[in-house]
Amino acid sequence: MLNFDFYSPARILFGRDTETKVGKLLKPYAKKVLLHYGGGSIKKSGLYDRVITSLKDAGISYAELPGVKPNPRLSLVYEGIELCKKENIELILAVGGGSVIDSAKAIAMGVYYEGDIWDVYEQGKAIHKALPVATILTIPAAGSESSGDTVITNEGKQLKYGYGSSHLRPVFSIMNPELFFTLPKNQVANGVADMMSHVFERYFTNTKQTDLTDGLCEAVLKTLIRNGPKALENPQDYDAWAELGFAGTVAHNGLVGMGRQQDWACHAMEHELSAIYDVAHGAGLAVLTPGWMQHVYKDNINMFLQFAVNVMGVQGSLREPEVLIIEAIDRLRSFYRKMGLPATLSELGIGEEKFEEMAKKCTRIAFGDEKKIGGIKELSWQNVHKIYKLVK
Ligand code: NZQ
Ligand code: ZN
């Protein structure tokens, strides 16, 4: 096990009706908040009205910034920074999914950052302060409700980059599984694929002796595989949503990756797809992950064999590990299919013409400073290009 520093302080308030407590919970932090949300699902579901009532009851005043799009855009972040300064906002309340929360985090640090906030994403510049962010989560997927990460799309440059800082962990996140009942089927599936990927990125490792976190990863993956189809079939299944919501937070609050070398190649490859083609993050991951597994498994047969047996329940002769691993990858593909997710880039409307450009961008060779991606196997741009081709 590797040395680690685990600090994951986001408070999670979980369960029925918890969103009605938001006003009271905000009181110690702010008299005036920015209510940040997306394209209108919170108004349709009635959540918006409940939040406003709770804010008013607690005497919290607010300004509003709606309009966050999936793959949240830098232009709205700039708008939010100006609004927060003008309105003397003390906290940003993000009501929505990963996109809304990530946009809120970008605004929160942009209020104090002296230069262009995009430099923080592009050049990894350090930040020293951010407005506090609180969230009401409406889709279990990105894990941003408990992470210190934010991912923003610079639509002008067609770049999508992430940034992480302990200043960005939400002070609290409200998670009422009933708020997930209104999700469209494709978003349910995208979310499950993303949460699984957050575990995969940590699970597949060359680090030896990681029994505890292996077990935690496997439990989260099995919970997602068991409950994803249930939520898809019956959108009102509170228990299934409760499992998915909790699993999504555990998948990405850092715990299951402690003491392990991590991978993150699939996320890097997916961000290139979203940046150019504006595809849903989870759908891109569902396409890439089996192809990535196929390309890298030979570098650590034992790790993939453990995945085949412990997660995908494959049985057979352990003397033929590759047979079992291939069966596990096939089962994963079938699971994504069953969830209604795409299996190829062409199903996402992505042709081959930009494969080389994306492979060179994600390994930064396009910017003159090559940085291989991945952990269990380091990937050059040629490897990435092969993976895009494998799943074309
Ligand atoms: O905009 P509205 O109208 O609210 O509709 C949203 C949006 O269209 C809809 N939706 C959300 N909750 C709903 C609902 N519709 C009906 N009922 C509800 N209860 O779902 C759509 C997708 O929302 P989005 O926020 O984009 O989804 P998600 O949570 O999957 O976030 C994806 C973003 O998170 C980033 C991704 O790259 C992507 O940009 N990630 C952020 C991470 C982090 N900050 O730690 C880690 C992840 O790896 C991920 O990269
Ligand atoms: Zn993700």
Side-chain angles (χ1 to χ4, degrees):
M1 201 184 297
L2 308 176
N3 290 3
F4 65 84
D5 178 351
F6 182 61
Y7 180 66
S8 190
R11 175 180 178 190
I12 307 285
L13 194 75
F14 182 93
R16 289 188 166 96
D17 299 328
T18 41
E19 71 276 15
T20 59
K21 301 194 169 82
V22 67
K24 257 194 199 154
L25 286 165
L26 286 169
K27 267 190 132 169
Y29 299 100
K31 288 198 189 71
K32 185 165 189 185
V33 303
L34 178 71
L35 178 58
H36 198 30
Y37 54 97
S41 72
I42 69 162
K43 287 200 170 162
K44 245 190 251 163
S45 68
L47 173 60
Y48 174 86
D49 293 334
R50 294 200 293 286
V51 171
I52 297 293
T53 303
S54 178
L55 293 180
K56 286 186 174 159
D57 288 351
I60 306 249
S61 61
Y62 59 91
E64 291 189 41
L65 183 61
V68 180
K69 294 191 172 127
N71 297 321
R73 312 296 202 266
L74 182 62
S75 49
L76 192 72
V77 169
Y78 289 144
E79 215 181 294
I81 294 169
E82 291 316 309
L83 186 61
C84 284
K85 287 180 180 168
K86 189 173 131 227
E87 298 280 342
N88 294 318
I89 296 295
E90 294 165 313
L91 176 148
I92 305 176
L93 176 62
V95 184
S99 296
V100 174
I101 301 171
D102 286 2
S103 179
K105 290 174 178 175
I107 296 168
M109 56 181 177
V111 167
Y112 293 110
Y113 191 73
E114 303 251 307
D116 181 349
I117 196 61
W118 179 248
D119 294 346
V120 169
Y121 290 87
E122 195 166 40
Q123 298 161 28
K125 293 205 168 160
I127 59 149
H128 306 288
K129 206 174 171 189
L131 282 178
V133 171
T135 88
I136 300 178
L137 187 70
T138 63
I139 168 173
S144 191
E145 71 280 3
S146 67
S147 80
D149 303 327
T150 157
V151 188
I152 291 291
T153 296
N154 182 327
E155 60 273 43
K157 291 189 172 180
Q158 290 198 319
L159 293 172
K160 182 176 182 184
Y161 286 152
Y163 181 74
S165 163
S166 58
H167 295 290
L168 299 179
R169 290 214 194 247
V171 287
F172 66 81
S173 286
I174 289 175
M175 191 188 293
N176 174 359
E178 288 172 328
L179 300 180
F180 309 150
F181 290 0
T182 53
L183 277 165
K185 282 191 186 304
N186 65 329
Q187 296 299 350
V188 178
N190 293 341
V192 169
D194 191 19
M195 294 186 281
M196 288 174 70
S197 180
H198 294 160
V199 181
F200 288 148
E201 301 284 22
R202 296 168 164 105
Y203 181 63
F204 291 105
T205 186
N206 292 321
T207 307
K208 303 256 187 306
Q209 191 58 55
T210 49
D211 286 355
L212 175 68
T213 44
D214 282 5
L216 293 174
C217 286
E218 288 163 4
V220 179
L221 286 168
K222 285 192 277 192
T223 301
L224 293 167
I225 291 171
R226 195 174 306 135
N227 290 284
K230 286 189 191 171
L232 203 60
E233 201 177 307
N234 175 11
Q236 315 259 327
D237 185 338
Y238 180 90
D239 293 329
W241 281 122
E243 298 286 355
L244 293 173
F246 195 12
T249 287
V250 175
H252 201 47
N253 72 357
L255 177 68
V256 304
M258 286 305 107
R260 316 165 70 89
Q261 169 208 43
Q262 303 187 13
D263 197 277
W264 296 99
C266 287
H267 268 68
M269 292 188 287
E270 195 295 310
H271 286 167
E272 298 305 325
L273 307 181
S274 292
I276 297 180
Y277 297 97
D278 200 17
V279 298
H281 174 60
L285 288 168
V287 171
L288 291 168
T289 302
W292 169 82
M293 289 182 171
Q294 223 172 306
H295 186 77
V296 307
Y297 79 83
K298 290 197 170 110
D299 278 50
N300 192 333
I301 294 269
N302 288 342
M303 185 75 239
F304 279 90
L305 181 62
Q306 184 177 320
F307 163 70
V309 175
N310 287 2
V311 179
M312 301 313 290
V314 180
Q315 290 184 332
S317 167
L318 297 179
R319 291 190 193 189
E320 295 180 307
E322 292 201 42
V323 175
L324 275 57
I325 291 167
I326 297 292
E327 168 66 19
I329 298 173
D330 280 349
R331 285 190 190 184
L332 180 66
R333 269 202 196 94
S334 308
F335 172 76
Y336 288 149
R337 262 278 176 249
K338 184 166 129 195
M339 293 294 291
L341 287 156
T344 61
L345 292 174
S346 65
E347 285 171 61
L348 285 171
I350 299 175
E352 283 186 58
E353 52 293 342
K354 299 212 172 187
F355 283 2
E356 186 171 329
E357 177 188 327
M358 294 191 294
K360 287 185 170 166
K361 275 164 91 181
C362 93
T363 50
R364 296 201 62 83
I365 202 161
F367 309 107
D369 59 337
E370 186 179 12
K371 203 171 136 216
K372 290 187 174 167
I373 58 167
I376 200 161
K377 177 185 171 81
E378 283 203 333
L379 304 178
S380 63
W381 82 263
Q382 288 94 340
N383 295 126
V384 173
H385 192 244
K386 265 189 202 150
I387 293 171
Y388 285 141
K389 281 193 135 179
L390 262 177
V391 297
K392 70 180 184 186

